[in-house]
Each structure stands twice: as C-alpha cells, then as structure tokens.
Amino acid sequence: GGGLPGLPPPPMMGVPTFAKPQVKLPYKKKELEVKAKLKVLHWKPIKNENIAKTCWNNLSDQKVQFDADLLEKTFGIKKKKKKGARTGSASESDSSSSARSKKKKKEVISLIDSKRSYNINIALARFKMPNVAIRDALLRMDEQVLDEDKLVALAKCKPEAEELETCVSFEGDVSALGKTERFFRTLGEIPGIQFRIDSFLFKTRFEKAISELQQTVDTLKAADRTLRDSKHFKIILEYVLALGNYLNHSNKKGGAYGIQLSSLDKLKGMKSTDGKTNLLEFLVTSLKKHSPEARAFVDDFLILSDAARVDVNFLEGAVGKNVGMVNKIGSASKTAKKDGSDRFGPVMTAFHKEAKKTIDKLSSDMKDAVKNLTDLIVYYGENPKKLQMNDFLGYFIEFADAFSKMEALIKKKKELEERQKAREDAKRKSPVAKKKEKLKVKDTKKDKNKIGTAMKSLRGQDAAKIRAALGRRRQKFGTIKFSKDKKKKKRNTMDKFEQSLLNKLKKSSPNTKIRKIKVFPE
C-alpha cells in the first residue's frame, strides 16, 4: 500500500545573525586633502539610507571644480601668533608700528550662523546680565531673576544640540569666540539645558494656561447644561411642532412627534398668503400673547456663541500637550542630579506633584464635556457622525438671532403704525383742517337740495343760469368773488364745491376770464 508522504528536512541549526544591511551609495567619494583648519558649516545632512529616495541619488560632488587654496584662505581658522622679541633700536618707525598693532582689532571666531548669532546677541543685550549670572539663575531655578519674559527670550536663544556640541568641543582660544558662542559654552555647563529652559518656562506659564483651558471646558459644560435644561426653549419647540402639524394636517408630513433642528430655519421662509408676514412672525406674536416668558431663551442662549467658537480638536491637542509635558517633568525630576547648587530636582518635583493633580482633573473634565455634547447631539435627534458640534450649536444660535430680529421688526412696525395714527390725528386737529371742516356744507337734506338745484342748473346751461345759481348760493351761504387778475390772486384755496362751479363755468362759458371763485361764509 501507499506509505506516508515524505517529511520535510529538519531546519538548519545555527546562530542567527542580525548584521546591519549595507547601504548602497550612488558613488564612492575620494579622500580630501585639507591643509588648514576650517570653520564649521552647520547644515543637516540626509542619512545615507535615505539618499536613494531623493534627487541626490543622481548627483555627485566629485567632478566639481573650485580653488581649494582660496577656500582655505577664506574660511580657515587662523592660529594665534606668539609674541616675538623686539629687535633693533626703538626708532620712531618701530614705535608707530607697535601702536598700530595694539590698536588693531582682535579677530572674532564665529561658529554659529551670522544671522542667528546677531539675533541672539540683541536678545542677550536686553538681559543686562553676564552669561555666568544667567547660568546660575537657571541652576537655582530662580523665578525672581528669570521671569516669564526673560525665559521666553531664552527659549528663542537656546542652543540646538549641534550648535551646543560645536561650541563646547571648540579647542581654540575661547576668548576669541563671539558672544553667542561663549554664551552657548556657558549654558553647556548645565545638563539638559534645552529641556530645562522649556520646562522652566512651562512652569511659569502653567497656572495661567490651565486657567484658560479650564475656562474653555467650563464654557462647553455651560452650553450643555443650557440646552438640556432650558424650559423656555422647550416651550418654543412645542409651539413650532404644534404650528407645523397644524399646517401639515392633510399631508404625510403632519402628525410629527419631533423635527430636526434644520427645520427651525424654515419658519422665516414660510410666507403668508399675502406675502406680508411669515410663520416666524406668527410664532413670535403668538408667544408674546400666550407664553411671554418663553422669549427668555434668547438670553439663555448667549453662552452658546462662546461655545461654538471652541475648536474641540485644538482643545484636546492643547490639553494633551500639557499632560505630556507634566509627565516629562515628572520623569526628569526623578533622574535629576542631587547637587546643592542645582535646584532643578527639588523645584520640579514639588511642581510636578501639584501640576499632575491639576492637569488630570482638567483632562477628565474636558473628556466629560466633549462626551456630553456628543450625547446632546443625539438627544436632539441628530447624528453626531454627520453633524459637527459647531454646526449643531449654530442651529440654536441662528434661530435665537432670527427670533430676536423678528421681535425688533414687530416693534418697529407697531411704532410706525402709532406714528402714522398720530399724524392723522394731528392733521384732523390742525387750524387748516378745522377751517375746511367749517367750510363744508352741512350734510342735511335741505342743503343737499340747494346744492343739487345749483348743480342741475349748471349742467349744459349758459353763463346766465350759472351766474344765477351762484347768486342763489351767495344769498344763502355767503359772498362770491370772481378774481380776474393773477397778481391779486389770494393764497387761500377753493373747496370742492367752488372748484366744481369754476370748472363747469369755464366749460359752459370758455370766454369768461374768471380764474378763481371763493365763497366766504356769513
């Protein structure tokens, strides 16, 4: 029968090797023959293993031609010349030469980029302190000497790792170094100087920074409480739901038990039949009449504007950075050097103990506030995955703003109506209005007959009958005057009866040059 299949050969025994793979470089460099000691160029080389991924893989410096001697002459570090014995007589020429030599400026050795060195020198000049005093204040962690402003300046001036190594490892004449270089060498005497400056500055700013972050978190918490507990806004929502269901009673959108927040914006777009008002105005008017206390939601929602401006991602990042820095300080203080002259360990240990409690509480409060607001979005029937917190709060802010503006518009309309009514009342009570009222023919049957008779005689009759009608009116109601001269024309105006008579007179007797008729009551 068939046997078992052949087993695989046993693995080879041996010790595994983990040799670092060799990096394949684009070309082999020649050895350089440099005759002089040259200044250091502080650039940042790309690691050899990363060259293949860059444009440098196709470039080479091996065929570049330049004057090496001139380069060394230009960027070489000159050796300090020893003082030689004076020879010859003390002639006037030798004396003059010696004076010029003494006055000759000592050459400064620069190891740091000139622009950066210039900026650091300006900052150090404002300290008005020797380098040693700054170093000692950093060792003592002395906030009286190094306040926040000085620490901010130091943070900008602190040496990078490469700069610090270059200055500390300098073996030439230290007195010939520039101010920045000597400053870096002095700071290099403090272990971990970069972190010390950063943590010292962090300590001085911590209380204020945490207070501002806590205030931001408290704003989010207040917004959450407002939207959960606002009784006034719940009245608004009930009214909106009732009005909407009433309007939609005959269609599939009616009978709703709740609406999305975006629906609130639809109220002002819902125009009345005559186009003169909208549903929002109707809502505001109804609430003023039946539930005037509900409009207080506008004041309740003032806190929401501050909350909507909060960038949650930025807040979480800021709190996270503070948590990280406090933890780093805790680790550094444990491993700090036990030295009476260096106070970093004891100072930062005490600070870390209190800062840890504060930052942990802030972090917990922030997480709770963000979670509660996320739950609040669900609470209002929205999807937190599709609706950002700022947009969510924006619905409430925009509705409150629209409600407030509508209140102002309604008030303005009422004021305009009242002013219009006041003008009409004043017009009726004015002297001119009273005079016109006095001139009106009394609305009696007798007067109507008189006027009717006069008007009847005017229709299509000749000038004689018109004059006769006017004469009868004159006998009953007053004196009639005919004005023929424009210059003597009086300012007072004719009433409707007088104007009617004049028009008909002109029509019946076009040659008559009467320009005005005035009836003066007895």
Side-chain angles (χ1 to χ4, degrees), residues 130-244:
N131 296 341
V132 175
I134 296 174
R135 178 202 64 192
D136 292 345
L138 285 169
L139 284 169
R140 295 192 308 270
M141 302 293 287
D142 193 338
E143 293 185 34
Q144 298 297 322
V145 177
L146 298 176
D147 57 18
E148 183 180 342
D149 292 337
K150 284 187 171 66
L151 287 171
V152 169
L154 277 176
K156 293 178 181 178
C157 297
K158 67 181 179 183
E160 299 292 337
E162 292 179 3
E163 294 173 333
L164 193 62
E165 183 183 355
T166 300
C167 294
V168 171
S169 61
F170 178 73
E171 296 178 353
D173 183 6
V174 175
S175 64
L177 289 173
K179 292 180 181 179
T180 298
E181 286 77 5
R182 294 200 303 273
F183 174 66
F184 283 177
R185 280 180 64 89
T186 303
L187 290 187
E189 297 172 17
I190 303 175
I193 182 60
Q194 294 94 342
F195 181 73
R196 180 179 294 244
I197 292 173
D198 290 340
S199 58
F200 197 179
L201 178 59
F202 176 80
K203 177 180 179 295
T204 60
R205 287 177 162 179
F206 182 75
E207 187 176 344
K208 183 180 178 182
I210 295 303
S211 176
E212 291 175 353
L213 290 172
Q214 185 66 59
Q215 187 176 354
T216 302
V217 172
D218 290 343
T219 299
L220 295 181
K221 291 164 72 175
D224 175 67
R225 285 194 303 271
T226 297
L227 291 175
R228 285 184 189 275
D229 304 336
S230 178
K231 295 178 181 178
H232 302 127
F233 187 65
K234 288 175 182 176
I235 295 173
I236 300 289
L237 293 180
E238 289 172 347
Y239 263 81
V240 172
L241 189 63
L243 294 174

Side-chain angles (χ1 to χ4, degrees), residues 32-42 66-79 109-111 166 170:
L32 298 175
E33 296 179 2
V34 183
K35 302 172 186 175
K37 191 172 183 179
L38 305 176
K39 289 187 176 183
V40 178
L41 174 61
H42 296 285
F66 59 88
D67 190 334
D69 292 335
L70 181 60
L71 183 69
E72 292 184 16
K73 183 179 178 182
T74 307
F75 297 100
I77 297 176
K78 294 182 179 179
K79 293 180 181 179
I109 298 174
S110 299
L111 305 176
T166 300
F170 178 73

